[in-house]
Amino acid sequence: MNILKKLSRQELMEMLIESEKRVRQLEEELAEAKEQLEDRRIQIENSGSIAEAALKLNGIFEVAQAAANQYLENLGVPTGAEETPEKPTALESQQMETGREEE
């Protein structure tokens, strides 16, 4: 406190003005940091909503695909959803290659 008593009135005013400038600067930085924090909080909340929406849409697409497959099956069009045929055995492959089948 003794140091402040030795300063002139003008020096004290300059210190006060500088302190006020610093306080304003820190208040602006704090407001900006709060805004960024709120933006991130909103992004985090929305990312959960987006993930949930994607899962729900995925379910809708699965139902739509199943309906489309059923429709095509009713028309007699292969959908690719049927089971894949079994691979021929080694003997069957050999018979196909030679062009003859043993009876």
Side-chain angles (χ1 to χ4, degrees), residues 7-18:
L7 295 174
S8 70
R9 186 174 239 168
Q10 184 171 352
E11 291 171 327
L12 289 172
M13 288 299 287
E14 288 174 5
M15 285 178 64
L16 184 60
I17 291 169
E18 287 299 316

Side-chain angles (χ1 to χ4, degrees), residues 4-5 7-8 19 25 37 49 53 55 57 59 62 73 75-76 78 100:
L4 293 178
K5 288 183 181 182
L7 295 174
S8 70
S19 293
Q25 179 185 4
L37 178 62
S49 299
L55 288 174
L57 284 175
E62 289 172 358
E73 286 172 10
L75 294 176
R100 60 183 163 92

Side-chain angles (χ1 to χ4, degrees), residues 51-100:
E52 289 172 15
L55 288 174
K56 288 177 184 176
L57 284 175
N58 200 15
I60 290 170
F61 290 137
E62 289 172 358
V63 171
Q65 184 64 52
N69 288 346
Q70 184 178 12
Y71 175 75
L72 291 174
E73 286 172 10
N74 290 340
L75 294 176
V77 177
T79 62
E82 298 89 21
E83 293 182 23
T84 56
E86 293 182 22
K87 291 184 180 179
T89 63
L91 178 60
E92 291 171 337
S93 295
Q94 186 181 19
Q95 289 172 347
M96 283 189 244
E97 288 175 9
T98 59
R100 60 183 163 92

